[in-house]
Amino acid sequence: MSVSQKQVLAAVALSVGTLGVAQAQSSLNAYGLLDLSFGSFQYAGTDGSADNKSTAKVESGQMTTSFIGFKGTEDLGGGLKAMFTLESFIRMDSGASGRSNADVFWARAANVALAGGFGKVVIGRMDNFLYQQALAFNPYGGSFGFSPTIRLTYGKWGPDKGDSGWSNSIAYYTPNLSGFTAAVQVQPGESDTESTSTGFMAGYANGPFAIGFGYQSVQSAEAPKVNVPDGAEQTFALLGASYDFGAVKLFGQYGQYKDKDYPTAAENYKTKLYQLGVAVPVSADGKVLASYGSQTKELVSGDVKHEILTLGYDHFISKRTDLYAVFMRDDDDRAGFKAGNTVAFGIRHRF
Protein backbone atom coordinates (compact mmCIF):
# COMPACT_ATOMS: atom_id res chain seq x y z
CA MET A 1 0.00 0.00 0.00
CA SER A 2 1.46 3.35 -1.01
CA VAL A 3 1.78 6.35 1.31
CA SER A 4 -1.01 8.16 -0.54
CA GLN A 5 -3.32 5.13 -0.23
CA LYS A 6 -2.64 4.96 3.51
CA GLN A 7 -3.44 8.67 3.81
CA VAL A 8 -6.75 8.23 1.97
CA LEU A 9 -7.71 5.25 4.14
CA ALA A 10 -6.78 7.11 7.33
CA ALA A 11 -8.78 10.16 6.28
CA VAL A 12 -11.91 8.09 5.58
CA ALA A 13 -11.53 6.18 8.86
CA LEU A 14 -11.12 9.46 10.77
CA SER A 15 -14.27 10.81 9.12
CA VAL A 16 -16.20 7.73 10.22
CA GLY A 17 -14.99 8.18 13.79
CA THR A 18 -15.72 11.89 14.04
CA LEU A 19 -19.03 12.03 12.15
CA GLY A 20 -20.58 8.93 13.67
CA VAL A 21 -24.25 9.77 14.04
CA ALA A 22 -23.86 13.54 13.96
CA GLN A 23 -27.20 13.76 12.20
CA ALA A 24 -30.03 11.39 13.02
CA GLN A 25 -31.03 11.32 9.34
CA SER A 26 -27.56 10.30 8.12
CA SER A 27 -25.23 7.35 8.78
CA LEU A 28 -21.61 6.53 8.10
CA ASN A 29 -20.18 3.08 8.80
CA ALA A 30 -16.89 1.20 8.60
CA TYR A 31 -17.06 -2.56 8.08
CA GLY A 32 -15.21 -5.45 6.52
CA LEU A 33 -14.41 -9.14 6.40
CA LEU A 34 -11.01 -10.76 7.03
CA ASP A 35 -10.39 -14.30 5.76
CA LEU A 36 -7.18 -16.33 6.28
CA SER A 37 -6.56 -20.02 5.69
CA PHE A 38 -3.72 -22.52 5.85
CA GLY A 39 -3.44 -25.72 3.88
CA SER A 40 -2.04 -27.77 1.04
CA PHE A 41 -3.13 -26.28 -2.29
CA GLN A 42 -2.98 -28.25 -5.56
CA TYR A 43 -4.88 -27.68 -8.80
CA ALA A 44 -5.37 -29.49 -12.10
CA GLY A 45 -2.35 -29.15 -14.38
CA THR A 46 0.38 -30.93 -16.27
CA ASP A 47 2.63 -33.17 -14.20
CA GLY A 48 5.31 -31.10 -12.51
CA SER A 49 3.68 -27.76 -13.31
CA ALA A 50 3.29 -25.01 -10.71
CA ASP A 51 -0.48 -25.55 -10.71
CA ASN A 52 -0.22 -29.29 -10.07
CA LYS A 53 2.47 -29.02 -7.40
CA SER A 54 1.10 -29.48 -3.87
CA THR A 55 2.17 -26.43 -1.86
CA ALA A 56 1.67 -25.61 1.82
CA LYS A 57 0.59 -21.97 2.05
CA VAL A 58 -1.10 -19.31 4.13
CA GLU A 59 -3.71 -17.74 1.84
CA SER A 60 -6.01 -14.73 2.10
CA GLY A 61 -9.60 -14.60 0.92
CA GLN A 62 -10.09 -18.18 -0.18
CA MET A 63 -13.63 -18.53 1.24
CA THR A 64 -14.48 -14.82 0.94
CA THR A 65 -12.13 -12.21 -0.50
CA SER A 66 -10.90 -10.07 2.41
CA PHE A 67 -11.90 -6.39 2.29
CA ILE A 68 -12.50 -3.21 4.24
CA GLY A 69 -15.32 -0.82 3.41
CA PHE A 70 -16.99 2.49 4.20
CA LYS A 71 -20.66 3.19 3.52
CA GLY A 72 -22.84 6.23 4.07
CA THR A 73 -26.51 7.15 3.68
CA GLU A 74 -28.25 10.51 3.81
CA ASP A 75 -32.03 10.81 4.15
CA LEU A 76 -33.12 13.53 1.70
CA GLY A 77 -36.77 13.41 2.72
CA GLY A 78 -39.81 12.23 0.84
CA GLY A 79 -38.50 8.66 0.77
CA LEU A 80 -35.38 9.70 -1.16
CA LYS A 81 -31.88 8.66 -0.02
CA ALA A 82 -28.35 9.38 -1.23
CA MET A 83 -25.69 6.72 -0.63
CA PHE A 84 -22.04 5.98 -1.26
CA THR A 85 -19.85 2.86 -1.01
CA LEU A 86 -16.05 2.59 -0.93
CA GLU A 87 -14.52 -0.88 -0.55
CA SER A 88 -10.92 -2.06 -0.87
CA PHE A 89 -9.62 -5.64 -1.15
CA ILE A 90 -6.87 -6.74 1.27
CA ARG A 91 -4.37 -9.58 0.97
CA MET A 92 -4.26 -10.56 4.64
CA ASP A 93 -1.34 -12.96 4.19
CA SER A 94 0.99 -10.13 3.11
CA GLY A 95 -0.81 -6.93 4.11
CA ALA A 96 -0.94 -5.71 0.50
CA SER A 97 -4.01 -4.02 -0.94
CA GLY A 98 -5.99 -5.49 -3.83
CA ARG A 99 -6.55 -9.06 -4.99
CA SER A 100 -3.33 -8.62 -6.98
CA ASN A 101 -0.96 -5.81 -7.92
CA ALA A 102 -3.20 -5.07 -10.91
CA ASP A 103 -6.07 -3.87 -8.71
CA VAL A 104 -6.78 -0.20 -8.05
CA PHE A 105 -7.20 0.67 -4.37
CA TRP A 106 -11.01 0.81 -4.29
CA ALA A 107 -11.38 -2.21 -6.61
CA ARG A 108 -14.25 -3.85 -4.72
CA ALA A 109 -16.57 -0.84 -4.93
CA ALA A 110 -16.45 2.91 -5.53
CA ASN A 111 -19.89 4.30 -6.26
CA VAL A 112 -22.68 6.69 -5.34
CA ALA A 113 -26.41 5.94 -5.50
CA LEU A 114 -29.85 7.52 -5.29
CA ALA A 115 -32.74 5.40 -3.99
CA GLY A 116 -36.45 5.93 -3.50
CA GLY A 117 -39.85 4.55 -4.41
CA PHE A 118 -38.67 4.29 -8.02
CA GLY A 119 -35.89 1.86 -7.11
CA LYS A 120 -32.17 2.62 -7.07
CA VAL A 121 -29.65 4.13 -9.49
CA VAL A 122 -25.93 3.43 -8.90
CA ILE A 123 -22.98 4.96 -10.75
CA GLY A 124 -19.27 4.09 -10.47
CA ARG A 125 -17.48 0.76 -9.89
CA MET A 126 -19.61 -2.17 -8.68
CA ASP A 127 -20.18 -5.91 -9.06
CA ASN A 128 -21.54 -6.95 -12.42
CA PHE A 129 -24.71 -9.02 -12.64
CA LEU A 130 -23.07 -12.24 -13.79
CA TYR A 131 -21.04 -12.32 -10.58
CA GLN A 132 -24.09 -11.50 -8.44
CA GLN A 133 -25.99 -14.42 -9.98
CA ALA A 134 -22.98 -16.75 -9.82
CA LEU A 135 -22.55 -16.30 -6.06
CA ALA A 136 -26.25 -16.32 -5.17
CA PHE A 137 -27.05 -19.94 -6.03
CA ASN A 138 -24.15 -22.07 -4.83
CA PRO A 139 -23.29 -23.06 -1.23
CA TYR A 140 -19.83 -21.41 -1.36
CA GLY A 141 -21.12 -18.01 -2.51
CA GLY A 142 -18.43 -15.79 -4.03
CA SER A 143 -15.48 -17.98 -3.00
CA PHE A 144 -12.73 -17.66 -5.59
CA GLY A 145 -10.78 -20.32 -3.73
CA PHE A 146 -13.36 -23.09 -3.33
CA SER A 147 -16.61 -22.44 -5.24
CA PRO A 148 -16.79 -24.57 -8.43
CA THR A 149 -19.09 -21.99 -10.05
CA ILE A 150 -16.76 -19.07 -9.39
CA ARG A 151 -13.56 -20.97 -10.27
CA LEU A 152 -15.08 -22.25 -13.54
CA THR A 153 -16.32 -18.79 -14.50
CA TYR A 154 -13.47 -16.44 -13.53
CA GLY A 155 -9.70 -16.50 -13.31
CA LYS A 156 -7.25 -18.76 -15.11
CA TRP A 157 -9.71 -21.56 -15.91
CA GLY A 158 -12.91 -19.54 -16.41
CA PRO A 159 -14.17 -18.35 -19.81
CA ASP A 160 -14.92 -14.84 -18.50
CA LYS A 161 -12.70 -12.33 -20.31
CA GLY A 162 -13.41 -9.53 -17.87
CA ASP A 163 -13.74 -9.05 -14.13
CA SER A 164 -16.37 -9.66 -11.46
CA GLY A 165 -16.69 -5.87 -11.10
CA TRP A 166 -17.26 -3.17 -13.74
CA SER A 167 -15.71 0.27 -13.59
CA ASN A 168 -17.33 3.33 -15.22
CA SER A 169 -20.77 1.71 -15.02
CA ILE A 170 -24.37 2.74 -14.37
CA ALA A 171 -27.04 0.41 -12.97
CA TYR A 172 -30.75 0.66 -12.23
CA TYR A 173 -32.51 -1.68 -9.75
CA THR A 174 -36.29 -1.94 -9.58
CA PRO A 175 -38.10 -1.88 -6.23
CA ASN A 176 -38.91 -5.27 -4.70
CA LEU A 177 -42.33 -6.13 -6.15
CA SER A 178 -43.73 -8.94 -3.99
CA GLY A 179 -40.46 -10.85 -4.25
CA PHE A 180 -39.63 -9.96 -7.84
CA THR A 181 -36.62 -7.74 -8.66
CA ALA A 182 -34.83 -6.78 -11.86
CA ALA A 183 -31.90 -4.60 -12.88
CA VAL A 184 -30.01 -3.31 -15.92
CA GLN A 185 -26.35 -2.23 -16.08
CA VAL A 186 -24.32 -0.39 -18.72
CA GLN A 187 -20.56 0.13 -19.00
CA PRO A 188 -20.02 2.60 -21.87
CA GLY A 189 -16.92 2.29 -24.01
CA GLU A 190 -14.60 5.18 -23.23
CA SER A 191 -11.82 4.73 -25.80
CA ASP A 192 -11.15 3.48 -29.33
CA THR A 193 -10.40 -0.01 -27.97
CA GLU A 194 -13.75 -0.31 -26.17
CA SER A 195 -17.40 -0.79 -26.98
CA THR A 196 -20.38 -0.75 -24.66
CA SER A 197 -20.99 -3.66 -22.27
CA THR A 198 -24.49 -4.34 -20.98
CA GLY A 199 -26.02 -6.55 -18.31
CA PHE A 200 -29.48 -7.62 -17.13
CA MET A 201 -30.73 -9.68 -14.24
CA ALA A 202 -34.10 -10.70 -12.82
CA GLY A 203 -35.05 -12.78 -9.84
CA TYR A 204 -37.82 -13.96 -7.57
CA ALA A 205 -37.53 -14.94 -3.91
CA ASN A 206 -40.43 -15.97 -1.71
CA GLY A 207 -39.99 -18.00 1.46
CA PRO A 208 -37.75 -21.02 0.89
CA PHE A 209 -37.67 -20.70 -2.92
CA ALA A 210 -35.51 -18.39 -5.02
CA ILE A 211 -34.65 -18.21 -8.72
CA GLY A 212 -32.50 -15.79 -10.68
CA PHE A 213 -31.28 -15.13 -14.21
CA GLY A 214 -28.35 -13.01 -15.35
CA TYR A 215 -27.17 -12.02 -18.83
CA GLN A 216 -24.38 -9.78 -20.03
CA SER A 217 -22.56 -8.82 -23.21
CA VAL A 218 -18.93 -7.83 -22.57
CA GLN A 219 -17.07 -5.59 -25.03
CA SER A 220 -15.69 -2.84 -22.82
CA ALA A 221 -12.89 -1.83 -20.45
CA GLU A 222 -12.17 -5.21 -18.82
CA ALA A 223 -12.30 -7.00 -22.20
CA PRO A 224 -11.15 -4.51 -24.88
CA LYS A 225 -11.06 -5.12 -28.62
CA VAL A 226 -7.94 -6.99 -29.72
CA ASN A 227 -7.29 -6.55 -33.45
CA VAL A 228 -10.94 -7.24 -34.21
CA PRO A 229 -12.40 -4.50 -36.45
CA ASP A 230 -16.06 -5.27 -35.70
CA GLY A 231 -15.46 -5.59 -31.95
CA ALA A 232 -14.73 -8.54 -29.73
CA GLU A 233 -17.89 -9.72 -27.99
CA GLN A 234 -18.55 -12.28 -25.29
CA THR A 235 -22.05 -13.11 -24.06
CA PHE A 236 -23.05 -14.87 -20.83
CA ALA A 237 -26.33 -16.32 -19.61
CA LEU A 238 -26.66 -17.90 -16.16
CA LEU A 239 -29.76 -19.38 -14.53
CA GLY A 240 -29.82 -20.39 -10.86
CA ALA A 241 -32.29 -21.59 -8.26
CA SER A 242 -32.37 -22.70 -4.63
CA TYR A 243 -34.87 -24.26 -2.22
CA ASP A 244 -34.48 -24.37 1.55
CA PHE A 245 -36.21 -27.39 3.10
CA GLY A 246 -34.90 -26.50 6.56
CA ALA A 247 -33.03 -29.76 7.03
CA VAL A 248 -31.22 -29.19 3.73
CA LYS A 249 -30.86 -26.37 1.19
CA LEU A 250 -30.45 -27.31 -2.47
CA PHE A 251 -28.73 -25.20 -5.17
CA GLY A 252 -28.53 -25.51 -8.95
CA GLN A 253 -27.08 -23.45 -11.82
CA TYR A 254 -26.76 -23.69 -15.59
CA GLY A 255 -24.89 -21.25 -17.79
CA GLN A 256 -23.69 -20.69 -21.35
CA TYR A 257 -20.84 -18.43 -22.43
CA LYS A 258 -20.16 -17.60 -26.07
CA ASP A 259 -17.17 -15.89 -27.65
CA LYS A 260 -17.37 -14.02 -30.95
CA ASP A 261 -13.93 -13.65 -32.60
CA TYR A 262 -12.21 -13.05 -29.25
CA PRO A 263 -9.38 -12.55 -29.83
CA THR A 264 -8.57 -15.29 -32.39
CA ALA A 265 -10.47 -17.97 -34.24
CA ALA A 266 -8.75 -20.59 -32.08
CA GLU A 267 -10.66 -19.27 -29.05
CA ASN A 268 -14.02 -18.88 -30.79
CA TYR A 269 -15.85 -21.29 -28.49
CA LYS A 270 -18.99 -21.89 -26.48
CA THR A 271 -18.73 -22.92 -22.84
CA LYS A 272 -21.41 -24.73 -20.85
CA LEU A 273 -21.42 -24.76 -17.06
CA TYR A 274 -23.59 -26.44 -14.48
CA GLN A 275 -23.40 -26.73 -10.71
CA LEU A 276 -25.29 -28.73 -8.09
CA GLY A 277 -24.87 -27.92 -4.41
CA VAL A 278 -26.21 -28.61 -0.96
CA ALA A 279 -25.95 -27.02 2.49
CA VAL A 280 -26.91 -29.20 5.45
CA PRO A 281 -27.20 -27.68 8.95
CA VAL A 282 -25.84 -30.17 11.50
CA SER A 283 -26.21 -27.88 14.52
CA ALA A 284 -27.37 -24.37 15.36
CA ASP A 285 -23.91 -23.06 14.46
CA GLY A 286 -22.50 -25.38 11.81
CA LYS A 287 -23.32 -26.74 8.37
CA VAL A 288 -21.87 -29.14 5.81
CA LEU A 289 -21.35 -27.64 2.34
CA ALA A 290 -20.98 -29.62 -0.89
CA SER A 291 -20.80 -28.40 -4.48
CA TYR A 292 -20.03 -30.09 -7.81
CA GLY A 293 -19.40 -28.04 -10.93
CA SER A 294 -18.66 -29.05 -14.51
CA GLN A 295 -17.43 -26.83 -17.33
CA THR A 296 -17.28 -27.93 -20.98
CA LYS A 297 -15.43 -25.69 -23.45
CA GLU A 298 -16.24 -26.26 -27.13
CA LEU A 299 -12.90 -25.29 -28.69
CA VAL A 300 -11.95 -25.42 -32.35
CA SER A 301 -9.53 -28.22 -31.44
CA GLY A 302 -12.21 -30.20 -29.56
CA ASP A 303 -14.16 -30.19 -26.30
CA VAL A 304 -12.39 -29.78 -22.95
CA LYS A 305 -14.09 -30.78 -19.67
CA HIS A 306 -13.12 -29.38 -16.27
CA GLU A 307 -14.74 -30.67 -13.06
CA ILE A 308 -14.49 -29.45 -9.46
CA LEU A 309 -15.92 -31.10 -6.35
CA THR A 310 -15.74 -29.20 -3.04
CA LEU A 311 -16.71 -30.60 0.37
CA GLY A 312 -16.53 -28.51 3.52
CA TYR A 313 -17.74 -27.67 6.99
CA ASP A 314 -18.40 -24.16 8.29
CA HIS A 315 -18.88 -23.47 12.01
CA PHE A 316 -19.68 -20.13 13.68
CA ILE A 317 -18.02 -19.68 17.07
CA SER A 318 -19.69 -16.26 17.46
CA LYS A 319 -22.00 -13.99 15.46
CA ARG A 320 -19.03 -12.48 13.64
CA THR A 321 -16.45 -15.27 13.48
CA ASP A 322 -16.51 -18.69 11.81
CA LEU A 323 -14.05 -21.52 11.24
CA TYR A 324 -14.07 -23.69 8.13
CA ALA A 325 -12.43 -26.84 6.73
CA VAL A 326 -12.49 -27.64 3.00
CA PHE A 327 -11.45 -30.42 0.63
CA MET A 328 -11.45 -29.66 -3.11
CA ARG A 329 -10.84 -32.04 -6.03
CA ASP A 330 -9.89 -30.21 -9.26
CA ASP A 331 -9.80 -32.29 -12.47
CA ASP A 332 -9.26 -31.36 -16.13
CA ASP A 333 -9.45 -33.97 -18.90
CA ARG A 334 -6.93 -32.41 -21.27
CA ALA A 335 -4.12 -34.70 -22.37
CA GLY A 336 -1.24 -34.68 -19.90
CA PHE A 337 -3.23 -33.06 -17.09
CA LYS A 338 -3.41 -34.51 -13.61
CA ALA A 339 -6.04 -33.80 -10.95
CA GLY A 340 -5.22 -31.74 -7.87
CA ASN A 341 -6.38 -32.06 -4.26
CA THR A 342 -6.62 -29.12 -1.88
CA VAL A 343 -7.13 -29.33 1.89
CA ALA A 344 -7.47 -26.06 3.82
CA PHE A 345 -8.52 -24.76 7.23
CA GLY A 346 -9.53 -21.15 7.71
CA ILE A 347 -11.08 -18.42 9.82
CA ARG A 348 -13.30 -15.46 8.85
CA HIS A 349 -13.99 -12.44 11.01
CA ARG A 350 -16.51 -9.70 10.26
CA PHE A 351 -16.62 -6.21 11.77
Side-chain angles (χ1 to χ4, degrees):
M1 187 184 300
S2 68
V3 173
S4 60
Q5 289 174 337
K6 290 180 180 178
Q7 290 171 338
V8 170
L9 190 59
V12 176
L14 181 61
S15 298
V16 172
T18 55
L19 284 178
V21 288
Q23 296 181 3
Q25 296 177 329
S26 300
S27 65
L28 186 58
N29 300 299
Y31 56 95
L33 183 148
L34 310 177
D35 180 342
L36 275 169
S37 58
F38 173 77
S40 174
F41 295 83
Q42 181 189 36
Y43 309 109
T46 55
D47 191 16
S49 66
D51 286 321
N52 198 237
K53 182 181 178 181
S54 181
T55 306
K57 295 188 287 186
V58 172
E59 289 279 62
S60 173
Q62 291 294 290
M63 186 68 87
T64 305
T65 310
S66 302
F67 75 97
I68 184 171
F70 304 93
K71 184 176 293 185
T73 301
E74 182 184 12
D75 190 339
L76 302 175
L80 196 63
K81 293 182 179 179
M83 298 171 284
F84 80 88
T85 303
L86 291 170
E87 295 176 345
S88 176
F89 291 113
I90 308 170
R91 282 170 277 177
M92 290 294 294
D93 52 340
S94 66
S97 64
R99 295 162 296 181
S100 71
N101 292 336
D103 265 345
V104 295
F105 187 65
W106 300 111
R108 195 174 196 268
N111 58 69
V112 293
L114 198 64
F118 60 87
K120 182 169 70 171
V121 176
V122 187
I123 183 168
R125 180 169 174 82
M126 67 196 83
D127 289 343
N128 61 44
F129 295 161
L130 179 70
Y131 178 63
Q132 291 185 18
Q133 291 299 306
L135 69 86
F137 296 102
N138 83 86
Y140 287 92
S143 172
F144 279 80
F146 307 124
S147 165
T149 298
I150 301 299
R151 292 188 62 83
L152 296 175
T153 300
Y154 298 98
K156 185 174 183 178
W157 302 117
D160 184 281
K161 299 297 185 185
D163 193 2
S164 57
W166 281 1
S167 299
N168 310 309
S169 62
I170 303 172
Y172 166 71
Y173 296 78
T174 68
N176 188 315
L177 305 172
S178 300
F180 175 82
T181 56
V184 293
Q185 186 177 23
V186 177
Q187 183 191 49
E190 297 188 2
S191 73
D192 292 340
T193 62
E194 301 171 14
S195 298
T196 299
S197 293
T198 56
F200 167 80
M201 71 176 180
Y204 176 77
N206 186 6
F209 175 72
I211 188 169
F213 174 77
Y215 174 86
Q216 67 184 36
S217 172
V218 177
Q219 303 182 72
S220 196
E222 281 80 12
K225 300 177 185 177
V226 182
N227 300 321
V228 182
D230 59 348
E233 180 182 6
Q234 189 180 50
T235 58
F236 310 79
L238 183 63
L239 176 68
S242 65
Y243 196 95
D244 192 345
F245 290 92
V248 60
K249 185 173 183 179
L250 303 179
F251 302 85
Q253 292 171 304
Y254 176 77
Q256 283 196 6
Y257 311 79
K258 296 181 180 180
D259 281 3
K260 177 185 176 183
D261 301 327
Y262 189 102
T264 65
E267 294 190 34
N268 187 1
Y269 59 73
K270 176 171 68 175
T271 301
K272 295 179 180 178
L273 167 74
Y274 70 84
Q275 181 269 148
L276 296 173
V278 60
V280 183
V282 293
S283 70
D285 302 310
K287 61 179 63 176
V288 173
L289 307 172
S291 178
Y292 167 78
S294 176
Q295 172 209 81
T296 301
K297 288 183 177 180
E298 299 179 2
L299 300 173
V300 173
S301 57
D303 291 357
V304 173
K305 190 172 184 179
H306 194 156
E307 299 172 285
I308 297 177
L309 172 66
T310 306
L311 305 174
Y313 177 69
D314 187 28
H315 189 89
F316 276 81
I317 58 176
S318 73
K319 291 183 178 180
R320 299 191 301 170
T321 304
D322 63 309
L323 305 175
Y324 59 84
V326 172
F327 168 79
M328 182 175 72
R329 173 78 170 178
D330 185 16
D331 196 6
D332 190 299
D333 71 357
R334 279 179 289 184
F337 270 60
K338 294 180 63 178
N341 297 314
T342 292
V343 177
F345 303 89
I347 180 172
R348 287 184 294 183
H349 177 74
R350 302 152 185 81
F351 63 90

